[in-house]
Amino acid sequence: MTPAATLAPPTDEPRFSPLLQASFGLHAAALVLPWFVAGAWPWAVGALVANHAVLTAAGLWPRSSLLGPNITRLPAASAARGEVALTIDDGPDPEVTPQVLDLLDRFGARASFFVIGERAAQHPALVAQMLARGHSVQNHSQRHRHHFSLLGPAGFRRELEAAQAQLQALTDERPRFFRAPAGLRNPFLQPVLQRLGLRLTSWTRRGFDTRETDAQRVLARLVDGLAAGDILLLHDGHAARGASGTPVVLEVLPALLERLRAAGLKPVTLPAAFAADAA
């Protein structure tokens, strides 16, 4: 088994991003300035409102790094090897996940499953199958709360720690990557991730397969500009269904894997892509 220390890049980034550090300074100045400059308080309030608008926008932009480090592509060394990452969210699902695993086997592809802790506890055999077939299991929170991005430090800590403990108990491995539900977050998340040794991971492109029922449109979004180093997002949980009633991911995945094969791109797990980079 690969040592845990090599599963992801080192987590020695600053505890707070430059934007957050600037925000702290702005808040301090806004509190102090009105005491020394007459009539400054409207400007101070306006600056704080604008700052909070920027922070909110950054949290609503899943691929943003303004609130802290955020993986949107594989390392350069992985891209040079012609690797891409298939990431599959919101499972495990007892109907869809086994079929996804069979399709991946058919093409010799490896994927990273960002699983929900509660669902993993309900379907431990599927989690075991993911590992047995060479895939990676990563943290997608314990409950996938719709208001996840509104949580504070304690709420984030409970969600992430519970999922970490659940997944480690099932896999004997501690997840090293985390994806926020819907990719949404707020400034309180990064310190919790750093404390737990998790790396926020978004994607290069996604198919919107939880709401798009046309498999061709989903596929088109995923392959538009497809290149080595890309991180692609699909869902085995909460999957939309096409006109035939088939989960869209099951219609998209064979065509996507064919495209990857034709382009000479190799789907690997996130730990595999980052292990050599860290070493």
Side-chain angles (χ1 to χ4, degrees):
M1 183 182 300
T2 305
T6 67
L7 291 182
T11 55
D12 56 356
E13 296 91 350
R15 184 173 176 81
F16 299 105
S17 70
L19 174 62
L20 292 180
Q21 294 178 40
S23 296
F24 296 150
L26 178 63
H27 278 70
L31 289 173
V32 172
L33 190 62
W35 291 94
F36 296 95
V37 180
W41 69 266
W43 296 97
V45 171
L48 291 179
V49 169
N51 176 248
H52 280 266
V54 170
L55 293 175
T56 299
L60 295 175
W61 179 14
R63 301 180 69 247
S64 168
S65 296
L66 292 174
L67 299 183
N70 187 6
I71 298 170
T72 60
R73 290 186 56 78
L74 300 182
S78 178
R81 295 191 296 269
E83 296 173 350
V84 296
L86 293 177
T87 61
I88 302 175
D89 286 13
D90 292 4
D93 180 277
E95 175 193 356
V96 181
T97 303
Q99 298 179 74
V100 168
L101 290 171
D102 288 345
L103 287 170
L104 293 171
D105 276 356
R106 186 191 307 172
F107 287 84
R110 298 293 176 263
S112 297
F113 288 83
F114 281 89
V115 304
I116 300 169
E118 281 190 342
R119 287 195 168 196
Q122 294 165 1
H123 307 288
L126 287 178
V127 175
Q129 278 292 306
M130 292 172 185
L131 294 180
R133 299 193 192 196
H135 306 296
S136 169
V137 174
Q138 300 300 328
N139 190 328
H140 196 37
S141 81
Q142 180 66 4
R143 298 175 183 84
H144 203 276
R145 295 180 180 273
H146 294 300
H147 65 286
F148 179 86
S149 62
L150 302 178
L151 296 177
F156 282 143
R157 188 171 61 252
R158 284 193 299 270
E159 275 288 304
L160 272 62
E161 285 182 344
Q164 285 290 87
Q166 182 69 71
L167 297 177
Q168 186 170 15
L170 291 173
T171 67
D172 291 327
E173 296 179 10
R174 194 163 178 81
R176 303 295 296 175
F177 301 88
F178 172 76
R179 178 170 288 152
L184 307 181
R185 62 203 189 281
N186 67 43
F188 296 117
L189 178 61
Q190 178 55 30
V192 175
L193 291 174
Q194 192 170 46
R195 175 183 173 184
L196 296 177
L198 286 164
R199 298 299 303 270
L200 182 67
T201 307
S202 57
W203 51 83
T204 309
R205 52 182 53 81
R206 63 189 301 187
F208 294 98
D209 58 320
T210 57
R211 64 174 190 253
E212 175 60 69
T213 60
D214 186 330
Q216 290 305 311
R217 290 182 180 177
V218 173
L219 179 64
R221 292 185 181 112
L222 292 170
V223 301
D224 182 24
L226 182 66
D230 283 357
I231 300 174
L232 307 178
L233 170 58
L234 285 165
H235 294 78
D236 58 344
H238 302 132
R241 293 177 180 265
S244 66
T246 302
V248 168
V249 63
L250 300 179
E251 297 180 338
V252 170
L253 199 51
L256 176 61
L257 292 169
E258 287 282 9
R259 293 286 190 97
L260 293 175
R261 176 181 287 177
L265 299 174
K266 180 182 179 182
V268 301
T269 66
L270 289 169
F274 280 93
D277 185 67

